[in-house]
Amino acid sequence: MATAGGGSVAGPGSRSFLRLLPFCVLLAGLCKGNSVERKIYIPLNKTAPCVRLLNATHQIGCQSSVSGDTGVIHVVEKEEDLQWVLTDGPNPPYMVLLEGTLFTRNLMEKLKGRTGRIAGLAVSLAKPSPTSGFSPSVQCPNDGFGIYSDSYGPEFAHCREILWNSLGNGLAYEDFSFPIFLLEDEDETNIIKQCYRDHNLSQNGSAPAFPLCAMQLFSHMHAVISTVTCMRRSSIQSTFSINPEIVCDPLSDYNVWSMLKPINTSGTLEPGDRVVVAATRLDSRSFFWNVAPGAESAVASFVTQLAAAEALQKAPDVTTLPRNVMFVFFQGETFDYIGSSRMVYDMEKGKFPVQLENIDSFVELGQVALRNSLALWMHTDPMSQKNETVHNQVEELLTTLEKSGAGVPTVVLRRPNQTQPLPPSSLQRFLRARNISGVVLADHSTVFHNHYYQSVYDTAENINVSYPEWQSPEEDLNFVTDTAKVTRLLYGFLVRANNSWFQSILRQDLRSYLGDGPLQHYIAVSSPTNTTYIVQYALANLTGKVMDLTREQCQDPSKIPTENKDLYEYAWVQGPLNPNETDRLPRCVRSTARLARALSPAFELRQWGSTEYSTWTESRWKDIRARIFLIASKELENESLPFGNALIPCVFIEAGFWSTAGLLSTGGQGLSLLRPGEDWQE
């Protein structure tokens, strides 16, 4: 309203402006230097999200809203702390920072039912690993995609006789409507907890005063409902749009395979050629995207097979063996046998050099690192052995293995109850197509010994691989552990892939695949993955031969009359370091190690609702990130709304672990306040 002097007095609607006005003088200074966002937010750079996966009928996993989900942080260190989040807290929704030991199905069911008060979840790693075990997988892995069904071996279907993964809580196969992230770095976790202690702790049960420490998680997923839906939408987009928006991708990669004695890969073997298949899996998973250490569920077995392939290749009488041996490392077995089902499909269609009829026997390495005695159990299939011929072949195979193991003092091969079914295994996919003589070797006679199956805790420590703290990475690489003598392989795949040996066996253009820390063994959608490439080149290095060829000859051996690319693969690798130098000694390695597509036949056949083949896809997303900041009260936010999307500079302050400028952001994304003075909201 006007005054007598011609001026004006602020009405009620302009009081907030007058309170903010003194701080606007800092505008010029604050707009220089670091960006506004860096002054407002502290990014969390070492996190892993739960993402959305889909199959023929369901969606599983997690996602945030399109613009991310924000909530006041509340630390839950014991189950009683949940009461504040679920009922008592006056400032929902809450972003729960959950201690890893509390990440259980029972607790998650409580949170799942209160979505109005839960904005999301940040899970810290439990250290040490939960003593009672933790497996977010199901109790009957790959149920419905193995050999047993309601029409074939119904007594064994759905793990009726043995729940192989008895500790499985199934969390990784649930659908959550809020984002869930793993906090992988202890320092970042401590920063969040400190922010919580400084701002969010209630005093004597009363509500804490604003500003409050908040977290925002971004993980919006593009695909919904099922693989059938998302693949149909992507197909329509690809057909009619110049710039198609693909919403999901099939989980896919490559199997790695090699032959003990080279075969012509441009054709197929003769029906009379006999091959022993030595198989294992490459992949694992956990609740969180691309966090799949898989020490017991995958690494120990494929490292053992790599070592066996090397030993057999170097045997003096290898060329005189009556049967050839094919070493296969299957990808995607975690997701309803993607790799093995694709190889069987290709064999049936004549698209693979080895046919099903060429398979003499099948020996698979399952989980092998957690033996509680010298025993290694030989699992067989009781259904196929109802055929007398197959039964006799299996007996011969078991007897042969027992005789071979008699000379190994650290292993005793034993037979479990012959009427029990096979554990989840690639062999099951081959038996669906043909009765063959097969065995799965495992450290367990019945339920898994692995208490961390397909979880973030299936690490080197789970299989007792550890190294003295005082050693250098190079000393760790060559350190002989108590678990096994194949030290370099275990160290490389479980602890540090970017080591001197792995560097020496790869092509120069693949150096980036080594990364910085332990490899993760998730199949993913972009292929080949790190694991696939490194296993292929490790296999080539261990079983192949260094050739006296130039780089040009190695990359195009067709110009050399004595070389044959149908029989061998050729790779120009970096080679070892030149002694006392920084440069390397590159070389040409010739081997039979090759890649074969591991994409479910369901996608080649466009049968996205298949019950015969895996239909797993991964949703696409635009943005995945996490950050923390201070948030003002709703009242202050409402006072600032008339200023739209303006950024109002605030006073410089120093408190807690921050020493920076506070900025008030208003408008469509709500209000973000970084540590203003306590008397700012007078």
Side-chain angles (χ1 to χ4, degrees), residues 323-487:
R323 303 177 186 88
N324 207 341
V325 179
M326 180 172 76
F327 296 97
V328 189
F329 302 77
F330 290 116
Q331 262 288 12
E333 296 302 272
T334 299
F335 294 96
D336 298 338
Y337 306 119
I338 292 174
S340 56
S341 63
R342 179 54 186 260
M343 182 166 283
V344 170
Y345 175 82
D346 286 343
M347 287 179 170
E348 291 176 322
K349 302 298 181 183
K351 297 179 179 180
F352 193 78
V354 178
Q355 307 293 287
L356 286 171
E357 62 193 41
N358 297 125
I359 298 177
D360 179 83
S361 55
F362 194 108
V363 179
E364 180 173 353
L365 285 178
Q367 299 180 89
V368 295
L370 292 177
R371 289 181 292 150
N372 51 20
S373 65
L374 298 179
L376 195 63
W377 297 89
M378 300 184 293
H379 297 267
T380 57
D381 168 48
M383 295 299 296
S384 58
Q385 290 188 74
K386 291 180 178 180
N387 179 301
E388 185 178 357
T389 301
V390 175
H391 174 75
N392 292 336
Q393 291 171 342
V394 170
E395 279 297 314
E396 182 182 353
L397 174 61
L398 296 179
T399 301
T400 301
L401 289 171
E402 287 168 337
K403 289 180 179 178
S404 300
V408 182
T410 57
V411 175
V412 176
L413 290 167
R414 299 185 63 182
R415 304 186 186 195
N417 188 325
Q418 296 296 289
T419 62
Q420 76 179 38
L422 282 171
S425 52
S426 306
L427 173 58
Q428 292 202 33
R429 288 303 302 194
F430 283 78
L431 287 171
R432 279 176 73 129
R434 186 183 180 91
N435 275 350
I436 58 177
S437 168
V439 60
V440 177
L441 303 177
D443 54 22
H444 54 91
S445 61
T446 54
V447 299
F448 295 165
H449 287 173
N450 187 2
H451 292 174
Y452 306 107
Y453 181 73
Q454 292 180 4
S455 87
V456 297
Y457 303 111
D458 190 9
T459 60
E461 290 76 14
N462 185 33
I463 60 171
N464 301 313
V465 173
S466 59
Y467 302 88
E469 293 182 0
W470 60 84
Q471 288 189 167
S472 68
E474 195 65 22
E475 289 172 327
D476 286 347
L477 174 64
N478 296 293
F479 181 71
V480 178
T481 68
D482 293 333
T483 301
K485 307 303 181 185
V486 286
T487 55

Side-chain angles (χ1 to χ4, degrees), residues 129-281:
S129 301
T131 54
S132 58
F134 175 76
S135 173
S137 185
V138 291
Q139 294 183 323
C140 189
N142 292 355
D143 185 22
F145 289 86
I147 187 175
Y148 308 116
S149 67
D150 291 334
S151 59
Y152 184 85
E155 65 270 34
F156 306 131
H158 316 302
C159 298
R160 288 190 175 107
E161 181 166 312
I162 301 174
L163 287 175
W164 295 101
N165 184 36
S166 59
L167 293 179
N169 59 33
L171 275 179
Y173 292 84
E174 291 290 323
D175 184 41
F176 295 92
S177 59
F178 48 81
I180 305 177
F181 277 51
L182 175 69
L183 300 174
E184 298 184 274
D185 183 74
E186 193 170 355
D187 290 337
E188 286 192 344
T189 302
N190 289 334
I191 286 174
I192 301 169
K193 288 183 176 181
Q194 186 61 50
C195 185
Y196 165 78
R197 287 191 290 266
D198 288 346
H199 301 282
N200 295 11
L201 277 179
S202 62
Q203 300 297 326
N204 300 320
S206 61
F210 285 93
L212 299 175
C213 191
M215 181 183 295
Q216 189 172 30
L217 301 178
F218 297 84
S219 62
H220 181 66
M221 300 286 122
H222 294 175
V224 294
I225 302 177
S226 68
T227 288
V228 175
T229 300
C230 76
M231 288 299 294
R232 184 174 64 242
R233 290 178 179 175
S234 296
S235 178
I236 292 172
Q237 283 277 320
S238 299
T239 303
F240 297 106
S241 176
I242 297 176
N243 298 305
E245 182 181 347
I246 307 301
V247 296
C248 68
D249 300 281
L251 294 181
S252 67
D253 198 359
Y254 288 85
N255 298 322
V256 180
W257 67 285
S258 73
M259 302 299 299
L260 183 63
K261 294 181 282 187
I263 62 173
N264 190 330
T265 57
S266 63
T268 58
L269 294 180
E270 295 296 325
D273 294 334
R274 310 302 290 163
V275 173
V276 175
V277 175
T280 191
R281 68 170 56 187

